[in-house]
Amino acid sequence: GFTLIGGIIGFSSTALWLRGVRLGSSHWSLTARFNDAAGLAERSPVTYRGILVGSVRSIAVTPEAVVAELEINQADLRLPLPVTATVGAGSLLGGDAQVALVSDGPPLPRNAPLPRGGDCQPTRQLCNGGTVVGQESPSLSTVTATMQELLAQLQDERVIPNVVASLEQIEA
């Protein structure tokens, strides 16, 4: 009887662990809004200064943006505002997409409140349930699209014939 109960408890614990449920863990969440999520998926890693600090819990596509809910596993991670989230490849060779959090604000004092604390100041730091603006990191496709736009502008404005005419005037 005890073996059967132990097996059921072990199976249930493993199933909950695989779904991401952690008893006694202190995590907090935030929302990131992206124009283009560039291959982001659930359980993609979230990093801050190159260190893994969480994962993507869920992704929803809306007509305005791609909304990703991020789960941060470090309860003591204090991020001064402004904070942006950048989606990029895990390595130079491509691979799975990941979210990198970037904080450009002045450092917070050591006694700053925790993100889950009731005294968290949403005007100075990122708090539990906060929202960040997402940015797409440059990739080969975005660079190619930008080059095509520049070439189209050059063609529309007839830059090359104007440069040739200017050079002829200088020679004369």
Side-chain angles (χ1 to χ4, degrees):
F2 287 117
T3 304
L4 181 63
I5 292 172
I8 291 171
I9 291 173
F11 177 76
S12 300
S13 299
T14 303
L16 290 173
W17 178 74
L18 289 174
R19 292 182 137 255
V21 175
R22 308 282 191 270
L23 297 176
S25 68
S26 55
H27 60 272
W28 54 285
S29 63
L30 59 111
T31 303
R33 302 178 65 83
F34 300 100
N35 288 332
D36 184 4
L40 194 64
E42 289 183 13
R43 296 189 181 168
S44 291
V46 176
T47 62
Y48 177 66
R49 294 186 178 177
I51 304 298
L52 181 67
V53 294
S55 62
V56 177
R57 184 184 305 166
S58 65
I59 299 175
V61 179
T62 66
E64 297 84 28
V66 176
V67 180
E69 187 176 343
L70 311 178
E71 183 177 86
I72 307 300
N73 297 329
Q74 294 187 1
D76 60 344
L77 181 63
R78 298 172 181 98
L79 300 173
L81 293 177
V83 177
T84 57
T86 305
V87 175
S91 71
L92 291 175
L93 299 175
D96 296 334
Q98 67 180 14
V99 177
L101 297 175
V102 179
S103 174
D104 293 329
L108 295 170
R110 291 194 184 273
N111 62 351
L114 294 174
R116 290 184 59 144
D119 54 348
C120 184
Q121 302 167 350
T123 57
R124 294 187 61 208
Q125 73 185 73
L126 190 60
C127 297
N128 184 31
T131 301
V132 296
V133 176
Q135 297 176 341
E136 180 185 359
S137 65
S139 66
L140 184 58
S141 62
T142 58
V143 170
T144 303
T146 304
M147 291 299 293
Q148 287 177 343
E149 289 175 13
L150 287 174
L151 289 174
Q153 285 179 350
L154 288 174
Q155 188 176 9
D156 290 343
E157 295 177 10
R158 304 179 55 83
V159 171
I160 302 297
N162 291 340
V163 169
V164 170
S166 298
L167 288 176
E168 288 174 355
Q169 288 178 355
I170 290 172
E171 283 181 9

